[in-house]
Short mmCIF file of all heavy atoms in Angstrom, two decimals:
data_model
loop_
_atom_site.label_atom_id
_atom_site.label_comp_id
_atom_site.label_asym_id
_atom_site.label_seq_id
_atom_site.Cartn_x
_atom_site.Cartn_y
_atom_site.Cartn_z
N ASN A 268 9.29 -16.48 1.73
CA ASN A 268 7.93 -16.10 2.04
C ASN A 268 8.01 -14.73 2.71
O ASN A 268 8.59 -14.62 3.80
CB ASN A 268 7.32 -17.14 2.99
CG ASN A 268 5.93 -16.80 3.43
OD1 ASN A 268 5.62 -15.65 3.71
ND2 ASN A 268 5.09 -17.79 3.52
N PRO A 269 7.49 -13.69 2.07
CA PRO A 269 7.62 -12.33 2.64
C PRO A 269 7.10 -12.22 4.08
O PRO A 269 7.69 -11.51 4.90
CB PRO A 269 6.81 -11.47 1.69
CG PRO A 269 6.85 -12.21 0.39
CD PRO A 269 6.83 -13.66 0.78
N ALA A 270 6.05 -12.93 4.38
CA ALA A 270 5.52 -12.88 5.75
C ALA A 270 6.51 -13.49 6.73
O ALA A 270 6.68 -12.99 7.85
CB ALA A 270 4.18 -13.60 5.82
N ALA A 271 7.18 -14.54 6.31
CA ALA A 271 8.17 -15.18 7.18
C ALA A 271 9.37 -14.25 7.40
O ALA A 271 9.95 -14.23 8.49
CB ALA A 271 8.62 -16.52 6.60
N GLU A 272 9.73 -13.49 6.40
CA GLU A 272 10.82 -12.53 6.57
C GLU A 272 10.44 -11.47 7.60
O GLU A 272 11.29 -11.03 8.37
CB GLU A 272 11.21 -11.91 5.23
CG GLU A 272 11.96 -12.87 4.32
CD GLU A 272 13.22 -13.45 4.95
OE1 GLU A 272 14.10 -12.67 5.38
OE2 GLU A 272 13.33 -14.68 5.02
N ALA A 273 9.18 -11.07 7.62
CA ALA A 273 8.71 -10.15 8.65
C ALA A 273 8.78 -10.82 10.02
O ALA A 273 9.08 -10.17 11.03
CB ALA A 273 7.30 -9.67 8.34
N ASP A 274 8.51 -12.13 10.05
CA ASP A 274 8.61 -12.88 11.31
C ASP A 274 10.05 -12.88 11.83
O ASP A 274 10.28 -12.81 13.03
CB ASP A 274 8.13 -14.32 11.12
CG ASP A 274 6.64 -14.43 10.87
OD1 ASP A 274 5.91 -13.44 11.10
OD2 ASP A 274 6.20 -15.51 10.44
N VAL A 275 11.02 -12.97 10.92
CA VAL A 275 12.43 -12.93 11.31
C VAL A 275 12.71 -11.63 12.07
O VAL A 275 13.33 -11.64 13.14
CB VAL A 275 13.37 -13.07 10.09
CG1 VAL A 275 14.81 -12.74 10.45
CG2 VAL A 275 13.28 -14.47 9.50
N ALA A 276 12.25 -10.52 11.53
CA ALA A 276 12.47 -9.22 12.18
C ALA A 276 11.81 -9.19 13.56
O ALA A 276 12.41 -8.71 14.54
CB ALA A 276 11.94 -8.10 11.30
N LYS A 277 10.59 -9.68 13.66
CA LYS A 277 9.87 -9.67 14.94
C LYS A 277 10.55 -10.60 15.95
O LYS A 277 10.69 -10.24 17.13
CB LYS A 277 8.40 -10.07 14.73
CG LYS A 277 7.59 -10.05 15.99
CD LYS A 277 7.53 -8.66 16.61
CE LYS A 277 6.68 -8.69 17.87
NZ LYS A 277 6.91 -7.53 18.71
N MET A 278 10.98 -11.78 15.50
CA MET A 278 11.65 -12.69 16.44
C MET A 278 12.98 -12.10 16.91
O MET A 278 13.37 -12.30 18.06
CB MET A 278 11.84 -14.07 15.80
CG MET A 278 10.53 -14.85 15.71
SD MET A 278 10.72 -16.60 15.30
CE MET A 278 11.31 -16.51 13.62
N ASN A 279 13.66 -11.35 16.06
CA ASN A 279 14.89 -10.68 16.49
C ASN A 279 14.59 -9.62 17.54
O ASN A 279 15.35 -9.46 18.51
CB ASN A 279 15.64 -10.08 15.30
CG ASN A 279 16.48 -11.12 14.60
OD1 ASN A 279 16.97 -12.07 15.22
ND2 ASN A 279 16.65 -10.96 13.31
N GLU A 280 13.48 -8.91 17.40
CA GLU A 280 13.07 -7.96 18.44
C GLU A 280 12.84 -8.69 19.75
O GLU A 280 13.28 -8.22 20.81
CB GLU A 280 11.78 -7.25 18.03
CG GLU A 280 11.91 -6.23 16.94
CD GLU A 280 10.56 -5.61 16.58
OE1 GLU A 280 9.65 -5.58 17.44
OE2 GLU A 280 10.42 -5.16 15.44
N ASN A 281 12.15 -9.82 19.68
CA ASN A 281 11.87 -10.61 20.87
C ASN A 281 13.16 -11.14 21.50
O ASN A 281 13.29 -11.18 22.73
CB ASN A 281 10.92 -11.76 20.56
CG ASN A 281 9.55 -11.28 20.14
OD1 ASN A 281 9.21 -10.10 20.25
ND2 ASN A 281 8.75 -12.19 19.61
N LEU A 282 14.11 -11.57 20.66
CA LEU A 282 15.41 -12.03 21.16
C LEU A 282 16.09 -10.94 21.97
O LEU A 282 16.53 -11.17 23.10
CB LEU A 282 16.33 -12.40 19.99
CG LEU A 282 16.40 -13.84 19.52
CD1 LEU A 282 17.27 -13.93 18.28
CD2 LEU A 282 16.91 -14.75 20.60
N ARG A 283 16.19 -9.77 21.37
CA ARG A 283 16.92 -8.67 22.00
C ARG A 283 16.24 -8.18 23.28
O ARG A 283 16.89 -7.64 24.16
CB ARG A 283 17.11 -7.53 21.01
CG ARG A 283 18.07 -7.91 19.90
CD ARG A 283 18.31 -6.78 18.92
NE ARG A 283 18.99 -7.31 17.75
CZ ARG A 283 18.43 -7.50 16.57
NH1 ARG A 283 17.15 -7.18 16.37
NH2 ARG A 283 19.12 -7.99 15.56
N ALA A 284 14.94 -8.38 23.38
CA ALA A 284 14.20 -7.95 24.56
C ALA A 284 14.27 -8.97 25.70
O ALA A 284 13.95 -8.65 26.84
CB ALA A 284 12.74 -7.70 24.20
N ASP A 285 14.71 -10.18 25.40
CA ASP A 285 14.76 -11.23 26.41
C ASP A 285 15.89 -10.96 27.40
O ASP A 285 16.98 -10.53 27.02
CB ASP A 285 14.97 -12.59 25.73
CG ASP A 285 14.66 -13.72 26.67
OD1 ASP A 285 15.50 -14.06 27.54
OD2 ASP A 285 13.56 -14.29 26.55
N THR A 286 15.63 -11.21 28.67
CA THR A 286 16.64 -10.97 29.70
C THR A 286 17.86 -11.87 29.56
O THR A 286 18.93 -11.54 30.06
CB THR A 286 16.03 -11.14 31.12
OG1 THR A 286 15.48 -12.46 31.22
CG2 THR A 286 14.97 -10.11 31.39
N ASP A 287 17.72 -13.00 28.87
CA ASP A 287 18.83 -13.93 28.66
C ASP A 287 19.56 -13.71 27.33
O ASP A 287 20.37 -14.53 26.93
CB ASP A 287 18.33 -15.38 28.72
CG ASP A 287 17.82 -15.76 30.09
OD1 ASP A 287 18.38 -15.25 31.08
OD2 ASP A 287 16.88 -16.55 30.18
N TYR A 288 19.26 -12.60 26.66
CA TYR A 288 19.85 -12.34 25.34
C TYR A 288 21.38 -12.33 25.40
O TYR A 288 21.98 -11.78 26.31
CB TYR A 288 19.36 -11.01 24.78
CG TYR A 288 19.98 -10.66 23.45
CD1 TYR A 288 19.70 -11.42 22.32
CD2 TYR A 288 20.87 -9.60 23.33
CE1 TYR A 288 20.29 -11.13 21.09
CE2 TYR A 288 21.45 -9.29 22.11
CZ TYR A 288 21.15 -10.06 21.00
OH TYR A 288 21.74 -9.77 19.78
N ILE A 289 21.98 -12.96 24.40
CA ILE A 289 23.43 -12.97 24.23
C ILE A 289 23.73 -12.15 22.99
O ILE A 289 23.23 -12.45 21.89
CB ILE A 289 23.96 -14.41 24.07
CG1 ILE A 289 23.64 -15.23 25.31
CG2 ILE A 289 25.45 -14.40 23.78
CD1 ILE A 289 23.89 -16.72 25.15
N LYS A 290 24.53 -11.11 23.14
CA LYS A 290 24.83 -10.20 22.04
C LYS A 290 25.35 -10.97 20.81
O LYS A 290 26.22 -11.82 20.92
CB LYS A 290 25.88 -9.17 22.47
CG LYS A 290 26.14 -8.12 21.42
CD LYS A 290 27.10 -7.07 21.91
CE LYS A 290 27.33 -6.06 20.81
NZ LYS A 290 28.26 -5.02 21.21
N GLY A 291 24.76 -10.64 19.67
CA GLY A 291 25.18 -11.25 18.41
C GLY A 291 24.33 -12.42 17.95
O GLY A 291 24.43 -12.85 16.80
N VAL A 292 23.49 -12.95 18.84
CA VAL A 292 22.59 -14.03 18.44
C VAL A 292 21.45 -13.41 17.66
O VAL A 292 20.84 -12.44 18.11
CB VAL A 292 22.06 -14.81 19.67
CG1 VAL A 292 21.06 -15.86 19.26
CG2 VAL A 292 23.21 -15.41 20.45
N GLU A 293 21.16 -13.96 16.48
CA GLU A 293 20.06 -13.40 15.69
C GLU A 293 19.54 -14.41 14.68
O GLU A 293 20.26 -15.28 14.21
CB GLU A 293 20.51 -12.14 14.95
CG GLU A 293 21.53 -12.40 13.87
CD GLU A 293 21.94 -11.14 13.12
OE1 GLU A 293 21.38 -10.06 13.38
OE2 GLU A 293 22.82 -11.26 12.26
N PHE A 294 18.25 -14.26 14.39
CA PHE A 294 17.67 -14.99 13.27
C PHE A 294 18.16 -14.28 12.01
O PHE A 294 18.17 -13.05 11.95
CB PHE A 294 16.14 -14.97 13.34
CG PHE A 294 15.59 -15.84 14.43
CD1 PHE A 294 15.31 -15.32 15.69
CD2 PHE A 294 15.36 -17.19 14.21
CE1 PHE A 294 14.81 -16.11 16.70
CE2 PHE A 294 14.86 -18.00 15.22
CZ PHE A 294 14.58 -17.46 16.45
N THR A 295 18.58 -15.04 11.01
CA THR A 295 19.18 -14.42 9.83
C THR A 295 18.24 -14.38 8.63
O THR A 295 18.20 -13.40 7.92
CB THR A 295 20.46 -15.16 9.41
OG1 THR A 295 20.16 -16.56 9.22
CG2 THR A 295 21.54 -15.00 10.48
N HIS A 296 17.50 -15.45 8.41
CA HIS A 296 16.59 -15.51 7.27
C HIS A 296 15.69 -16.73 7.38
O HIS A 296 15.83 -17.53 8.30
CB HIS A 296 17.37 -15.54 5.95
CG HIS A 296 18.15 -16.80 5.72
ND1 HIS A 296 19.33 -17.09 6.38
CD2 HIS A 296 17.91 -17.85 4.91
CE1 HIS A 296 19.78 -18.26 5.98
NE2 HIS A 296 18.93 -18.75 5.09
N SER A 297 14.79 -16.84 6.43
CA SER A 297 13.91 -18.01 6.36
C SER A 297 13.90 -18.52 4.93
O SER A 297 14.21 -17.77 4.00
CB SER A 297 12.49 -17.65 6.81
OG SER A 297 11.93 -16.71 5.91
N GLU A 298 13.56 -19.78 4.77
CA GLU A 298 13.43 -20.39 3.45
C GLU A 298 12.20 -21.28 3.44
O GLU A 298 11.89 -21.93 4.43
CB GLU A 298 14.64 -21.26 3.11
CG GLU A 298 15.92 -20.51 2.89
CD GLU A 298 17.08 -21.43 2.52
OE1 GLU A 298 16.84 -22.60 2.15
OE2 GLU A 298 18.23 -20.98 2.61
N VAL A 299 11.53 -21.30 2.32
CA VAL A 299 10.44 -22.25 2.11
C VAL A 299 11.10 -23.54 1.63
O VAL A 299 11.81 -23.55 0.63
CB VAL A 299 9.43 -21.73 1.06
CG1 VAL A 299 8.33 -22.76 0.83
CG2 VAL A 299 8.84 -20.40 1.50
N ILE A 300 10.88 -24.63 2.36
CA ILE A 300 11.50 -25.90 1.99
C ILE A 300 10.54 -26.73 1.15
O ILE A 300 9.41 -26.32 0.89
CB ILE A 300 12.03 -26.65 3.22
CG1 ILE A 300 10.92 -26.91 4.26
CG2 ILE A 300 13.15 -25.86 3.88
CD1 ILE A 300 11.38 -27.69 5.46
N GLU A 301 11.02 -27.88 0.69
CA GLU A 301 10.29 -28.69 -0.29
C GLU A 301 8.84 -28.97 0.05
O GLU A 301 7.98 -28.96 -0.82
CB GLU A 301 11.02 -30.03 -0.52
CG GLU A 301 12.20 -29.89 -1.43
CD GLU A 301 12.80 -31.23 -1.78
OE1 GLU A 301 12.07 -32.24 -1.81
OE2 GLU A 301 14.02 -31.27 -2.02
N ASP A 302 8.55 -29.24 1.32
CA ASP A 302 7.17 -29.57 1.68
C ASP A 302 6.27 -28.35 1.84
O ASP A 302 5.12 -28.46 2.20
CB ASP A 302 7.13 -30.44 2.94
CG ASP A 302 7.57 -29.71 4.20
OD1 ASP A 302 7.89 -28.50 4.12
OD2 ASP A 302 7.61 -30.35 5.26
N GLY A 303 6.84 -27.16 1.59
CA GLY A 303 6.06 -25.92 1.67
C GLY A 303 6.12 -25.23 3.01
O GLY A 303 5.63 -24.11 3.17
N SER A 304 6.72 -25.89 4.00
CA SER A 304 6.85 -25.24 5.30
C SER A 304 8.03 -24.27 5.28
O SER A 304 8.83 -24.26 4.36
CB SER A 304 7.03 -26.30 6.40
OG SER A 304 8.24 -27.01 6.21
N VAL A 305 8.10 -23.46 6.30
CA VAL A 305 9.14 -22.44 6.38
C VAL A 305 10.15 -22.85 7.45
O VAL A 305 9.77 -23.25 8.54
CB VAL A 305 8.54 -21.06 6.73
CG1 VAL A 305 9.64 -20.02 6.91
CG2 VAL A 305 7.56 -20.62 5.64
N GLN A 306 11.42 -22.75 7.10
CA GLN A 306 12.49 -23.03 8.03
C GLN A 306 13.21 -21.72 8.34
O GLN A 306 13.54 -20.96 7.43
CB GLN A 306 13.47 -24.04 7.45
CG GLN A 306 14.57 -24.43 8.40
CD GLN A 306 15.42 -25.57 7.88
OE1 GLN A 306 15.18 -26.10 6.81
NE2 GLN A 306 16.42 -25.95 8.64
N PHE A 307 13.44 -21.47 9.63
CA PHE A 307 14.13 -20.26 10.06
C PHE A 307 15.58 -20.60 10.41
O PHE A 307 15.85 -21.64 10.99
CB PHE A 307 13.43 -19.64 11.27
CG PHE A 307 12.08 -19.09 10.94
CD1 PHE A 307 10.94 -19.86 11.04
CD2 PHE A 307 11.95 -17.78 10.49
CE1 PHE A 307 9.69 -19.37 10.73
CE2 PHE A 307 10.71 -17.27 10.16
CZ PHE A 307 9.57 -18.06 10.28
N PHE A 308 16.48 -19.69 10.08
CA PHE A 308 17.90 -19.88 10.35
C PHE A 308 18.37 -18.81 11.31
O PHE A 308 17.85 -17.69 11.32
CB PHE A 308 18.70 -19.80 9.05
CG PHE A 308 18.36 -20.91 8.09
CD1 PHE A 308 17.29 -20.79 7.22
CD2 PHE A 308 19.12 -22.08 8.07
CE1 PHE A 308 16.97 -21.81 6.34
CE2 PHE A 308 18.80 -23.10 7.19
CZ PHE A 308 17.73 -22.97 6.32
N TYR A 309 19.38 -19.15 12.09
CA TYR A 309 19.95 -18.18 13.03
C TYR A 309 21.46 -18.31 13.04
O TYR A 309 22.02 -19.26 12.52
CB TYR A 309 19.37 -18.35 14.43
CG TYR A 309 19.76 -19.64 15.13
CD1 TYR A 309 20.86 -19.66 16.00
CD2 TYR A 309 19.06 -20.81 14.93
CE1 TYR A 309 21.23 -20.82 16.64
CE2 TYR A 309 19.43 -21.98 15.55
CZ TYR A 309 20.51 -21.99 16.41
OH TYR A 309 20.88 -23.15 17.04
N ASN A 310 22.09 -17.33 13.66
CA ASN A 310 23.53 -17.31 13.75
C ASN A 310 23.93 -16.79 15.12
O ASN A 310 23.15 -16.10 15.78
CB ASN A 310 24.11 -16.41 12.65
CG ASN A 310 25.57 -16.71 12.36
OD1 ASN A 310 26.17 -17.60 12.95
ND2 ASN A 310 26.14 -15.93 11.47
N TYR A 311 25.13 -17.12 15.53
CA TYR A 311 25.67 -16.59 16.77
C TYR A 311 27.17 -16.38 16.59
O TYR A 311 27.79 -16.99 15.70
CB TYR A 311 25.37 -17.50 17.96
CG TYR A 311 25.78 -18.94 17.78
CD1 TYR A 311 27.09 -19.36 18.01
CD2 TYR A 311 24.84 -19.90 17.39
CE1 TYR A 311 27.46 -20.67 17.83
CE2 TYR A 311 25.21 -21.21 17.21
CZ TYR A 311 26.52 -21.60 17.45
OH TYR A 311 26.89 -22.91 17.28
#
């Protein structure tokens, strides 16, 4: 979902701006799952 991919970028901005940010933690992508909802993935 293109809008969700834009959300990934914005959530990464929010992550990096957080005072508790741990270097290397990031949202990586999103997928539309079977029921039509969006699932976000992250890595560390």
